Amino acid sequence: MTAVLIRGGAPYGEAPLDLLLDGGVIVATGGEATADERSVDAEIVDATGLVVLPGLVDLHTHLREPGREDAETVETGSAAAALGGYTAVFAMPNTDPTADTAGVVEQVYRLGRDVGLVDVFPIGAVTVGRKGERLAELAAMANSAARVRVFSDDGDCVSDALLMRRALEYVKAFGGVIAQHAQEPRLTQGAQMHEGEVSARLGLTGWPAVAEEAIIARDCLLTDHVGSRLHVCHLSTAGSVDVLAAAKVRGTAVTAEVTPHHLLLTDERAVGYDPVFKVNPPLRTAADVTALRQALADGVIDIVATDHAPHASQDKETEWDNASPGMLGLQTALSVVIETMLLPGLLDWRGVARVMSEAPARIGGLVEHGRPVAAGEPANLVLIDPTARWTVSGASLASLSANTPFEGMELPGRVVATYLRGRRTVSAGALAGV
Ligand SMILES: [Zn+2]
């Protein structure tokens, strides 16, 4: 592999700085990059006007393989991720079979390696079959080739308090974290959308905010009691922000994510009963959206995670009540964060790097991702055209499924190139031939 000299790009949107990549590493920057003898034969990439960030890291992706290869595969999901500027994704275990053994997580890990577009890190199920009855083989998954550090029954809540306590105790031994899908099941039986004025108007069964907030409060207390580490998936309400903020003040070892769709869309989208807007947890109110944006800006919410959830058309394009909840996210996440956080001045580019790369890598225990754009660091990078605008079309996304809630919307910012360990996975906004 020849060296690559990226010229004129602006790390974190700050002063332009040339970057010389070789052997998977940023070997030199600035004047030292152009003076380095390895730059003589290097491939030159003109990055004038582009922002350079560390490759993005998604802590919450559904790749659907094994079991639902009609909706997504590791290959198509990896392509969507690379095109979205990601160099690493964490794959949720709600596959068929469930990723609850060393064998299945190793299978997903190896599929990711074989595709080679992003690093795929499997998340292990907390309970066998995600049934919430008994703990899965957490240590076996942690000790497997996939070295699992994040465990979740996502899609379902670990609602049994004793099981949750045991899981938190168990992962302490190897520095793991439990990622909780916070949804009190009895309070959300048959729920179809956010419980509020719109659900009353539409006559759809409501999913009350308190069903999320109560679980987060309980789990923060359990985490304190056990002395373990908790991560809250797709936090969606203003009340959850309050619970989280209080726990952090107290010193609870808790982190939390928000999805791009919860930063932009509200429950008003359900008017019209288009199931593309059905998601779990549901889209909330405008006041919730405002609180989530502010919490992400303040650092109360740590990261943006996509909850990329591809669904085959027969599961999604049906009447609202029967449609599967979930939305695509990998190729639109960065643009939605630019729209909702960067352009309004809530985050600068360093902040975007923090919430979409550095902090998710840290929570997931990765040491080669989410690193600074600096000499000696791994060459996992994304080059972004901050002035470009594009119109979202589900049919033209790399995902096997097309269920984007942003269909037809014009969004800012475009991924021009992505580098994984110095190798280009995306070039000129398209998959590089790798
Ligand atoms: Zn979930």
Side-chain angles (χ1 to χ4, degrees):
M1 193 164 65
T2 57
V4 177
L5 181 63
I6 300 174
R7 303 207 67 161
Y12 310 102
E14 296 167 3
L17 186 72
D18 295 339
L19 304 170
L20 181 63
L21 319 183
D22 192 38
V25 175
I26 304 170
V27 291
T29 65
E32 290 175 11
T34 43
D36 192 296
E37 62 183 22
R38 286 167 288 192
S39 71
V40 175
D41 298 322
E43 176 195 346
I44 309 288
V45 174
D46 180 9
T48 307
L50 304 183
V51 172
V52 184
L53 296 187
L56 307 182
V57 177
D58 190 17
L59 199 62
H60 191 148
T61 303
H62 297 275
L63 294 177
R64 302 299 188 215
E65 188 174 3
R68 285 308 302 265
E69 291 85 351
D70 57 330
E72 195 78 290
T73 65
V74 171
E75 183 171 8
T76 59
S78 293
L83 288 163
Y86 289 89
T87 52
V89 301
F90 286 77
M92 279 295 178
N94 59 335
T95 49
D96 185 13
T98 303
D100 59 1
T101 62
V104 181
V105 295
E106 286 186 349
Q107 180 191 355
V108 174
Y109 178 74
R110 295 214 168 91
L111 283 167
R113 280 277 150 144
D114 291 347
V115 172
L117 290 169
V118 293
D119 287 344
V120 175
F121 298 99
I123 293 176
V126 176
T127 66
V128 175
R130 296 173 48 258
K131 289 189 164 68
E133 292 165 358
R134 57 195 174 89
L135 285 188
E137 300 165 8
L138 307 186
M141 290 187 271
N143 293 328
S144 74
R147 293 182 48 79
V148 176
R149 288 294 178 272
V150 185
F151 297 88
S152 181
D153 274 1
D154 183 55
D156 291 297
C157 183
V158 181
S159 61
D160 184 301
L162 181 59
L163 264 178
M164 188 62 183
R165 174 188 178 164
R166 294 280 179 254
L168 287 164
E169 285 170 344
Y170 211 100
V171 298
K172 273 176 73 175
F174 45 82
V177 61
I178 304 293
Q180 176 70 293
H181 170 118
Q183 176 180 4
E184 209 295 314
R186 293 275 289 148
L187 287 172
T188 52
Q189 264 178 3
Q192 294 290 337
M193 66 171 295
H194 172 66
E195 180 183 294
E197 186 261 317
V198 181
S199 68
R201 191 167 10 121
L202 298 183
L204 290 172
T205 306
W207 197 130
V210 68
E212 176 174 299
E213 295 151 8
I215 293 291
I216 298 174
R218 181 201 74 175
D219 287 353
C220 285
L221 293 171
L222 279 173
T223 301
D224 290 343
H225 182 67
V226 168
S228 188
R229 202 152 66 88
L230 172 71
H231 177 73
V232 181
C233 296
H234 43 51
L235 189 141
S236 71
T237 80
S240 293
V241 170
D242 292 341
V243 172
L244 180 69
K248 286 192 163 186
V249 167
R250 212 166 57 229
T252 307
V254 59
T255 53
E257 70 192 33
V258 62
T259 71
H261 47 271
H262 287 112
L263 288 173
L264 184 58
L265 307 175
T266 70
D267 60 344
E268 288 286 348
R269 297 277 170 165
V271 176
Y273 301 94
D274 182 346
V276 80
F277 298 112
K278 183 175 175 181
V279 66
N280 193 21
L283 300 175
R284 305 290 187 181
T285 68
D288 293 307
V289 168
T290 301
L292 294 171
R293 290 183 185 185
Q294 194 59 50
L296 184 62
D298 295 344
V300 172
I301 294 175
D302 301 84
I303 67 169
V304 173
T306 66
D307 195 5
H308 176 81
H311 286 297
S313 56
Q314 71 268 21
D315 297 323
K316 198 64 178 165
E317 292 164 23
T318 177
E319 61 274 28
W320 182 284
D321 282 23
N322 296 327
S324 299
M327 304 171 160
L328 299 186
L330 285 168
Q331 276 178 263
T332 46
L334 177 64
S335 289
V336 172
V337 170
I338 292 171
E339 173 82 9
T340 58
M341 300 299 295
L342 187 95
L343 295 182
L346 289 165
L347 287 179
D348 57 13
W349 284 107
R350 286 208 178 253
V352 174
R354 173 168 49 81
V355 302
M356 298 190 78
S357 178
E358 295 160 10
R362 192 182 67 242
I363 294 166
L366 305 184
V367 293
E368 303 225 310
H369 291 272
R371 301 292 305 166
V373 180
E377 297 290 351
N380 298 317
L381 299 169
V382 56
L383 275 51
I384 303 154
D385 181 350
T387 61
R389 298 189 66 87
W390 62 293
T391 300
V392 180
S393 155
S396 59
L397 298 175
S399 179
L400 263 189
S401 300
N403 53 304
T404 173
F406 309 113
E407 182 74 33
M409 284 180 71
E410 192 188 276
L411 293 175
R414 189 88 222 216
V415 171
V416 174
T418 310
Y419 289 85
L420 175 64
R421 282 180 287 279
R423 190 169 51 85
R424 194 160 46 184
T425 57
V426 169
S427 165
L431 284 183
V434 288

